[in-house]
Amino acid sequence: MPAGARPRPPSLRLSGPYRHGGPHAAAHGAAPPARQASLRRHNLALVLREVAAGGPLSRAELSRRTGLTKASVSTMVDSLTSCGVLEELSSEGSPRPGPGRPGSPVGFGPTSPVAIGLEVAVGYTSACVVDLAGRCSRQSLLVLDNRALGPAAGMQRAARLVAELARSVRDQGRRLLGCGLAVPGVVGPSGELWWVPNMATWAGLHPAQVLDDLLQEHMGGAVLTGPGGLVADAGTPGDGLRALAVGNEANLGALAELWYGGHRHLEDFLRVSGEVGVGAGIVSGGRLLTGARGAAGELGHVNVEPEGLPCACGARGCLEQYAGQEAIVRQAGAPGYGQVLDMAARGEPSALLALEEAGRALGLAVAATLNVVDVPTVVLGGIYAELAPYIQAALARQLAERVVGGRFGPVRVVAAGVGREAAMRGAGGVVAHQVVADPAAHLPELLDRSA
Amino acid sequence: MPAGARPRPPSLRLSGPYRHGGPHAAAHGAAPPARQASLRRHNLALVLREVAAGGPLSRAELSRRTGLTKASVSTMVDSLTSCGVLEELSSEGSPRPGPGRPGSPVGFGPTSPVAIGLEVAVGYTSACVVDLAGRCSRQSLLVLDNRALGPAAGMQRAARLVAELARSVRDQGRRLLGCGLAVPGVVGPSGELWWVPNMATWAGLHPAQVLDDLLQEHMGGAVLTGPGGLVADAGTPGDGLRALAVGNEANLGALAELWYGGHRHLEDFLRVSGEVGVGAGIVSGGRLLTGARGAAGELGHVNVEPEGLPCACGARGCLEQYAGQEAIVRQAGAPGYGQVLDMAARGEPSALLALEEAGRALGLAVAATLNVVDVPTVVLGGIYAELAPYIQAALARQLAERVVGGRFGPVRVVAAGVGREAAMRGAGGVVAHQVVADPAAHLPELLDRSA
C-alpha cells in the first residue's frame, strides 16, 4: 500500500474516563453488535482488566473477581490465550507449556502483546516497551536538544528509537499493539501540535503522521504494518486502536501516576512536572481533566508575579520563569542544571536561594490550582522529585497559608511513584488501556472464535 | 411524629453528572427493580426529560423525540398526568380540561409540582418557586445582614420566607417536591457548613436540619410534611429526594447557568460571581467540577499579589481583597456599594480606578483558572454582570495576555443569562433535576399504576 493511501492515525483522545482499569467498552464506535457478541466482548474485557490490574490470576480467582461462572471464565481465557494475549504461567509466574488447569495462573508473559511509549522532550527523546499491565520491559534514552534539532531531525531520531524497540519486540515474537507519543505542548484534536512554547519550530507538526511515515521508511512496514502489528488497521475499525497517538506529556505523566504510581485510592491529585517547561496533569475523581481544548494543567503559565519576568508565551510573571529548569539554573548562577544539584548538595547559598524561590513560586501557582480544582494531593514529578529536599519547605509554607481545602483535610505533597519515565509510560499505557478496555475492538479474531 | 424522629435530610450531592437534561436514572439507590418496572421507570424519565427540556409537547412529538412507540408514550403520559406531574394543555399552552388527543400538548401547568430554591447570602436572603423545567413562578427577597444576625436569627428569617412560599404553593393546589438551599461557603458531605469566611459565626451549622426544624414550627408539618409534600418521606426511599439540601452558591449558580442560561452548547465555562465574597463555579464537559472536598472554584482566594492585602482567610493578596464588593467600595472611597455604581456612571475617577483595579485582579485570577481547567468562556454573574462596563476592558487585557487556551480559539466573556437569582434557582433546580431524572423514585405512585 502506498504511504499516501494509509489511513491517518487520529490523535490520542485523553478525555475519556481513564479510571483505574475501568471498562470503557461502551465507547467503541463499531456498529452495535448482536447481543451475544456484545456480551462476549464485555466478558473478555472483564477478564482482561482483572489480569491487567491484579497480576497473574487463576481461573478460579478470575471467576471470584468478575462474578462470571468458571465455565465462562475458561471460555474467555481460552480465547485470550489462543490469540496470544494471555499466557499460561506456572504458579511461580513463569511461562508453562500446554493448557492450564483451573488452579494455575494466566497472565502476561514474555510473548504477550506490548505497546511502545515515546516521549519527545526539549532535552531528550526516550522510548519504552510496556505490556498490557503497564510494566516497562525495555527503555531507551537519547540526550539531545530537540529545540536546536528542529522537527525534521528530531523526529528522525525519535523514529529510529521506536524502530529499534519495534525490532526487538518482533525478535521476541511479540505482537505490537501500537505506539503512544508524549510531547511538551498542547495537542489539537487531530493530533497536530498547537503550541510547543519551548520548541517553537515544532508548532503545526503532526508528529504521529510524521512518525508513521518515517517508520515506513525505517521498517519497510515489516513490523508496524505487518501481520504482527496493527498500525495498518488503525483507521479501519471505527474508533478502534489509535496506533500512533499523541498527547501532552504532563497529562500522560498524570495518567501513569494514576495507573502505575502504586498509590491506593489516589483519585484526586495534581502531578507537577518540570523540565525546561513546567507542566501539570490534574486527575479529579479518577478522571484526567483535559479541558475543552486539551490545554488544562498549563501550570507553567499561571502568574506568580503580576509584573514579573517576561515569558516565552508573551506574558509576564509566569511560573516557568521562576521554577522552570532554565530559570533555576539562571538564578543559581550555575553553568547547567546538573551543577545546581551539586551546588545545593554542597550548601552553596546562590543555589539554595534559587531553589527556595522556585519552591515559593511553585507554591503560589499550586495553591491557586488547588483552590480552583480542590484536589488534596500534590505529586512532584520530573525535576521536582529530585529537587524536593530543597523546594519542599517553601512550597509547603505557601500551601499551608493559601489553600482553602487545607482547612478540611490534609494537603499532601508526595514524590511521584513513577519517575522520569512517566510520560512515555503513560503514552504506551494509553494504548494498553484502550486494548484492555475492549480487546475485541483491537483484536477482531477474539470474536471470530465462537465460544 | 416528634421532630427528633424525623429522618435527617442528607446534603445535596453536587458531584453527579448534571448535564443538560441528561438522564441519571441509573444513580438511584433503591433495590434493583424487576425488569418491567425498571423499563417503565426509564421510560417515565425519558418522557419527562423531553417535556422539561422542550416545553409543552404533543404525544406524537414525544414519540419522535424519545423513540418510544405512541402507545408507550400515551401510557407514560397518562401516568404522569394522573398523578399531576404533567397537565393537558390547549394548543396555546393553557390548561385544558379532560383527556388530551394525540395532537394536543402536555406540559407543566399551573398545578404541576414545584420546588423551592433558597439562597442565604451575606447581604440578603431570597427564595423562589421553580417548576420541573426550572421556570421561576415567584420570588421573594429580604435585604438584611446575615453576618450580623448570626445563624439563629438568620435561619429564622430564611424559614419564614420558605414557609410563606410553601403556603402559596399549597394554596395553588400544587405539590411541593422539596427545597434546595444555597450558601456562601464550603459545604461538607453531610450538609454542614465547613467554612463560611464572610459569615464566620455560621461555621459548623447544618442549615438543612435547622431549616427542617424551623419549618416544622412554622408550618406545623402541614405543607412540607403533609400528603401534598414529600419532606417527611425524604429519608425513606434510599437515595431518593433530598428534600432539604444544601450547596455552595457559586456551584449552584453555575448549574443554573448551564440549565437555564439560554446558551446553546455551552458545556465548558467558568461562572464568576461576586457579592462580599468572590466565588466561581466551573462546568467542564457539561459537568460541575466540585473537587474532592466540595471546595473547587474558590476563586476569591486565588492569589493576585504575593505580598498583598491581608484576607479574612489568613493569607495575603487574595482576589477577594481587590475585586470583592467591600474591597471595591473601600478602594472607591464610597459610603456603600450602590454609590460606587452611581459614582462610576458619573465618571468619578476614584470609582473608575477602583473598578479597573478590580477588573485587572479578576483577570489575573481568571487567567490562572483558565490555564488550569481550560474552559473557553467566562460568565460574569452577581455584581460582575452589572459592573461589566467598568471592569471588562481590564479583565480582557489580562486574559488576552495570559491565557494559553486563547491561542487556539476565542476566550469569550459574557454576561450571565441567569441574573442575581442564579444561586436560588440552581438550588431549586437541583431538586427539579433529581425528580426529572427518575420521577418514580420520588413519586412512587407512578410505579403502582400498572400500564
Side-chain angles (χ1 to χ4, degrees):
Chain A
M1 188 171 11
R6 273 174 298 129
R8 285 307 190 181
S11 91
L12 188 65
R13 290 298 298 152
L14 286 179
S15 54
Y18 289 114
R19 295 190 152 273
H20 284 293
H24 328 303
H28 62 80
R35 181 170 292 243
Q36 196 58 36
S38 167
L39 190 64
R40 181 178 164 77
R41 194 164 174 165
H42 179 73
N43 290 345
L44 285 165
L46 272 183
V47 166
L48 195 55
R49 184 185 72 183
E50 290 302 328
V51 176
L57 295 171
S58 68
R59 288 165 174 77
E61 182 60 25
L62 277 168
S63 168
R64 202 185 61 77
R65 295 196 185 192
T66 59
L68 298 174
T69 63
K70 283 176 187 160
S72 186
V73 165
S74 280
T75 306
M76 301 304 143
V77 166
D78 288 350
S79 294
L80 290 163
T81 50
S82 302
C83 75
V85 174
L86 291 182
E87 295 179 32
E88 303 279 357
L89 303 173
S90 74
S91 49
E92 292 76 40
S94 55
R96 50 170 286 162
R101 287 163 310 168
S104 68
V106 291
F108 304 123
T111 63
S112 293
V114 289
I116 290 178
L118 169 68
E119 182 185 7
V120 175
V122 179
Y124 63 88
T125 296
S126 62
C128 66
V129 173
V130 297
D131 69 10
L132 288 178
R135 289 175 304 196
C136 266
S137 59
R138 192 168 161 180
Q139 300 187 18
S140 300
L141 173 75
L142 294 175
V143 175
L144 40 68
D145 185 347
N146 276 313
R147 183 159 44 181
L149 279 176
M155 287 305 296
Q156 274 285 359
R157 308 286 180 95
R160 251 179 262 149
L161 209 61
V162 171
E164 197 182 289
L165 288 183
R167 271 190 215 99
S168 80
V169 167
R170 179 184 53 183
D171 293 347
Q172 291 174 310
R174 307 183 85 154
R175 187 167 186 157
L176 186 59
L177 296 164
C179 173
L181 166 54
V183 293
V186 177
V187 179
S190 52
E192 71 280 21
L193 299 188
W194 264 355
W195 192 52
V196 206
N198 292 307
M199 287 165 34
T201 57
W202 290 59
L205 188 76
H206 193 309
Q209 284 183 3
V210 174
L211 185 61
D212 197 24
D213 290 343
L214 290 171
L215 288 173
Q216 286 290 319
E217 287 172 30
H218 280 287
M219 311 292 303
V223 168
L224 285 182
T225 61
L230 282 171
V231 170
D233 300 328
T236 48
D239 262 358
L241 180 68
R242 280 79 189 267
L244 288 168
V246 57
N248 172 269
E249 55 84 21
N251 283 343
L252 291 167
L255 285 178
E257 193 69 28
L258 176 68
W259 293 331
Y260 314 128
H263 311 277
R264 282 178 67 83
H265 312 301
L266 184 67
E267 297 222 316
D268 295 271
F269 65 89
L270 168 75
R271 182 181 185 278
V272 187
S273 60
E275 199 223 354
V276 174
V278 176
I282 298 159
V283 173
S284 175
R287 287 167 177 266
L288 180 70
L289 185 77
T290 55
R293 298 180 281 218
E298 281 295 334
L299 193 73
H301 302 282
V302 166
N303 185 275
V304 295
E305 195 66 60
E307 303 305 326
L309 298 170
C311 181
C313 77
R316 286 187 161 272
C318 295
L319 173 64
E320 206 157 291
Q321 296 307 317
Y322 299 84
Q325 187 172 301
E326 296 188 343
I328 292 172
V329 170
R330 192 176 58 228
Q331 278 295 109
Y337 175 70
Q339 287 85 347
V340 175
L341 279 175
D342 295 343
M343 288 164 70
R346 287 197 304 270
E348 288 191 25
S350 69
L352 294 177
L353 211 66
L355 290 167
E356 193 190 329
E357 174 56 22
R360 176 182 164 277
L362 190 62
L364 272 164
V366 168
T369 304
L370 301 198
N371 281 334
V372 166
V373 297
D374 183 30
V375 294
T377 303
V378 180
V379 176
L380 297 180
I383 60 170
Y384 300 125
E386 63 203 17
L387 295 177
Y390 308 109
I391 64 174
Q392 197 144 11
L395 168 63
R397 254 195 316 276
Q398 293 297 324
L399 300 185
E401 183 181 334
R402 301 189 188 278
V403 177
V404 166
R407 295 160 182 273
F408 320 127
V411 174
R412 293 191 312 143
V413 178
V414 301
V418 183
R420 296 295 279 265
E421 78 278 18
M424 65 178 174
R425 204 162 155 206
V430 165
V431 176
H433 262 70
Q434 288 180 350
V435 174
V436 170
D438 191 2
H442 307 288
L443 307 164
E445 69 267 38
L446 282 169
L447 291 182
D448 293 345
R449 299 163 203 277
S450 53
Chain B
M1 187 170 15
R6 274 175 299 127
R8 285 306 189 183
S11 93
L12 188 63
R13 290 297 298 154
L14 286 179
S15 54
Y18 289 115
R19 295 191 152 269
H20 282 294
H24 327 303
H28 64 78
R35 181 172 291 245
Q36 196 58 39
S38 167
L39 190 63
R40 180 178 165 75
R41 195 163 173 167
H42 179 73
N43 291 344
L44 284 165
L46 272 183
V47 166
L48 194 54
R49 184 185 70 181
E50 290 303 326
V51 176
L57 294 171
S58 69
R59 288 165 173 78
E61 181 61 23
L62 278 168
S63 168
R64 202 184 63 76
R65 295 196 184 191
T66 58
L68 298 174
T69 64
K70 284 176 186 161
S72 185
V73 165
S74 280
T75 306
M76 299 305 141
V77 166
D78 289 351
S79 293
L80 290 163
T81 50
S82 299
C83 77
V85 174
L86 291 181
E87 295 180 32
E88 302 279 355
L89 303 173
S90 74
S91 48
E92 292 77 42
S94 56
R96 49 170 287 161
R101 287 163 311 168
S104 67
V106 291
F108 303 124
T111 62
S112 292
V114 289
I116 289 177
L118 169 68
E119 182 185 5
V120 174
V122 179
Y124 63 87
T125 296
S126 61
C128 66
V129 174
V130 296
D131 70 11
L132 288 178
R135 288 175 303 197
C136 265
S137 58
R138 194 170 159 178
Q139 300 187 19
S140 300
L141 173 73
L142 294 175
V143 176
L144 40 67
D145 185 346
N146 275 313
R147 182 160 44 183
L149 280 175
M155 287 305 295
Q156 274 285 358
R157 307 287 180 96
R160 250 179 261 149
L161 209 61
V162 171
E164 198 182 287
L165 288 183
R167 271 189 215 101
S168 80
V169 167
R170 178 184 53 183
D171 293 348
Q172 290 173 312
R174 307 184 86 155
R175 187 166 185 158
L176 186 59
L177 296 163
C179 175
L181 167 54
V183 293
V186 177
V187 180
S190 52
E192 71 279 21
L193 298 188
W194 262 356
W195 192 53
V196 206
N198 293 305
M199 288 165 32
T201 56
W202 290 59
L205 188 75
H206 194 308
Q209 285 183 4
V210 173
L211 186 61
D212 196 24
D213 290 342
L214 290 171
L215 288 172
Q216 286 291 319
E217 286 172 30
H218 279 287
M219 313 292 303
V223 168
L224 285 182
T225 60
L230 282 172
V231 170
D233 300 328
T236 46
D239 261 357
L241 181 68
R242 279 78 190 266
L244 288 169
V246 58
N248 173 268
E249 55 83 21
N251 283 342
L252 291 166
L255 285 177
E257 194 68 28
L258 176 68
W259 292 332
Y260 315 128
H263 310 276
R264 283 179 67 83
H265 312 300
L266 184 67
E267 298 221 317
D268 295 272
F269 65 89
L270 168 75
R271 182 181 185 279
V272 187
S273 60
E275 199 222 353
V276 174
V278 176
I282 298 159
V283 173
S284 176
R287 288 166 177 265
L288 180 70
L289 185 77
T290 55
R293 298 180 280 219
E298 282 294 336
L299 193 74
H301 302 283
V302 166
N303 185 275
V304 295
E305 194 68 58
E307 302 306 325
L309 298 169
C311 181
C313 77
R316 286 187 160 272
C318 295
L319 172 65
E320 205 157 293
Q321 297 306 317
Y322 299 84
Q325 186 172 304
E326 296 188 342
I328 292 172
V329 169
R330 191 176 60 228
Q331 277 295 108
Y337 175 70
Q339 288 85 346
V340 175
L341 278 175
D342 295 342
M343 288 163 69
R346 287 196 306 268
E348 288 192 26
S350 69
L352 294 177
L353 210 67
L355 290 167
E356 194 191 328
E357 174 55 23
R360 176 182 164 277
L362 190 61
L364 273 165
V366 167
T369 304
L370 301 199
N371 281 334
V372 165
V373 297
D374 183 30
V375 295
T377 302
V378 180
V379 175
L380 297 180
I383 61 169
Y384 299 126
E386 63 201 22
L387 294 178
Y390 308 109
I391 64 174
Q392 197 144 9
L395 168 63
R397 252 194 317 274
Q398 294 297 323
L399 300 186
E401 183 182 335
R402 301 187 190 280
V403 177
V404 167
R407 295 162 182 273
F408 320 126
V411 174
R412 294 190 313 142
V413 179
V414 300
V418 183
R420 298 294 279 264
E421 77 277 19
M424 64 179 174
R425 204 163 154 205
V430 166
V431 176
H433 262 71
Q434 288 180 348
V435 173
V436 169
D438 191 2
H442 307 288
L443 306 164
E445 68 267 40
L446 282 170
L447 289 183
D448 294 344
R449 299 162 204 278
S450 53

